[in-house]
């Protein structure tokens, strides 16, 4: 089974083809260029270099959120278009679960974190054991204070990662939670992790159609919050 996976949830952009728990091909870029400019040419070049096409894929996967509102919309739109044209099923994967795949080989607690601003992080906690991940919390937007309180007294090793990983790591250390920061080459989310998580989701029968694929924001966009605030006045 081959899955084409895309990741556009933050500053970097990446794509990968995963088959039976291993990447067949991948591409990554973090140069500050917009995802709308880089994503599809990157996918096209990767597939051509690997002598693959969309028709070779069993499904298409995307990190559906949480993350940058603009980034998520670009990735979702790309997958919808590719899947619609090729009549392929889709998989929307948690960004936090996909990033946890980076260190699933480590035993202990894995804390995925993305800076949600407004003194919050998008966060989820997993337990890694024997290369397998077990989800311990849902994806949520919570304060660092709340996360710290939940991790108090945990006996397992704690490893933090994600584009909010440094922020989270420093806060936890300052407040007496002993933890480690994932090494730089494993710190950030990538399409390979999306593809690996998508294989499990595919096995569970969690595919959706291109029409049904939607982003997961966890909280309203700032423009929507401001509009609602005005309506409440």
């Amino acid at each position: 089974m081959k899955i084409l996976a895309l990741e556009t949830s933050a500053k970097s952009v990446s794509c990968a083809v995963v088959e039976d728990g291993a990447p067949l091909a991948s591409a990554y870029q973090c140069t500050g260029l917009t995802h709308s400019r880089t994503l599809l040419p990157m996918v096209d070049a990767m597939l051509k270099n690997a002598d693959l096409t969309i028709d070779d894929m069993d499904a298409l996967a995307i990190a559906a959120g949480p993350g940058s509102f603009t980034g998520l919309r670009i990735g979702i739109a790309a997958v919808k278009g590719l899947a619609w044209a090729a009549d392929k099923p889709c998989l929307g994967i948690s960004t936090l679960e996909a990033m946890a795949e980076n260190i699933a080989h480590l035993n202990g607690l894995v804390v995925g974190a993305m800076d949600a601003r407004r003194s919050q992080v998008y966060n989820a906690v997993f337990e890694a054991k024997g290369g397998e991940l077990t989800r311990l919390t849902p994806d949520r937007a919570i304060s660092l204070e709340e996360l710290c309180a939940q991790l108090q007294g945990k006996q397992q090793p704690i490893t933090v990662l994600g584009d909010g990983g440094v922020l989270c790591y420093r806060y936890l250390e300052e407040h007496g939670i002993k933890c480690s920061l994932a090494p730089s080459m494993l710190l950030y989310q990538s399409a390979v992790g999306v593809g690996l998580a998508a294989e499990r989701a595919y096995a569970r029968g969690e595919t959706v159609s291109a029409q049904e694929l939607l982003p997961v924001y966890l909280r309203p966009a700032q423009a929507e919050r401001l509009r609602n605030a005005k309506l409440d006045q």
Side-chain angles (χ1 to χ4, degrees), residues 66 95-100 103 109-115 121-126 137-140 142 147 151 158-165 168 187 189:
T95 307
L96 297 164
E97 180 180 353
M99 70 172 65
I103 53 174
L109 298 183
V110 177
V111 179
M114 302 180 73
D115 187 359
V121 286
Y122 296 128
N123 161 262
V125 180
F126 304 83
T137 72
D139 292 356
R140 65 266 176 95
I142 62 173
L147 175 61
L151 294 174
I158 299 172
T159 306
V160 182
L161 79 167
D163 63 343
C168 187
L187 184 60
Q189 50 267 50

Side-chain angles (χ1 to χ4, degrees), residues 12-25:
S12 64
V13 59
S14 58
C15 58
V17 175
V18 172
E19 182 179 33
D20 299 330
L24 294 182

Side-chain angles (χ1 to χ4, degrees), residues 6 35-45 78 82:
L6 310 183
H35 297 344
S36 58
R37 175 178 171 184
T38 58
L39 178 60
L40 289 178
M42 180 185 295
V43 171
D44 184 59
L82 293 171

Side-chain angles (χ1 to χ4, degrees), residues 14-153:
S14 58
C15 58
V17 175
V18 172
E19 182 179 33
D20 299 330
L24 294 182
S26 65
Y28 176 95
Q29 189 166 317
C30 188
T31 58
L33 298 176
T34 61
H35 297 344
S36 58
R37 175 178 171 184
T38 58
L39 178 60
L40 289 178
M42 180 185 295
V43 171
D44 184 59
M46 178 193 70
L47 292 176
K48 284 181 178 177
N49 288 338
D51 196 23
L52 294 167
T53 70
I54 297 294
D55 288 335
D56 295 319
M57 303 301 129
D58 294 282
L60 279 65
I62 180 69
S68 156
F69 287 75
T70 301
L72 294 178
R73 284 194 292 266
I74 291 171
I76 291 285
V79 168
K80 278 178 172 286
L82 293 171
W84 181 284
D87 192 24
K88 298 290 182 178
C90 300
L91 294 146
I93 302 301
S94 158
T95 307
L96 297 164
E97 180 180 353
M99 70 172 65
E101 286 286 349
N102 293 4
I103 53 174
H105 60 285
L106 300 179
N107 289 337
L109 298 183
V110 177
V111 179
M114 302 180 73
D115 187 359
R117 305 182 187 267
R118 301 171 63 211
S119 301
Q120 289 187 323
V121 286
Y122 296 128
N123 161 262
V125 180
F126 304 83
E127 182 179 22
K129 188 174 182 180
E132 298 292 331
L133 289 172
T134 300
R135 179 182 282 275
L136 301 181
T137 72
D139 292 356
R140 65 266 176 95
I142 62 173
S143 67
L144 287 167
E145 181 180 8
E146 185 178 352
L147 175 61
C148 185
Q150 292 178 2
L151 294 174
Q152 288 283 355

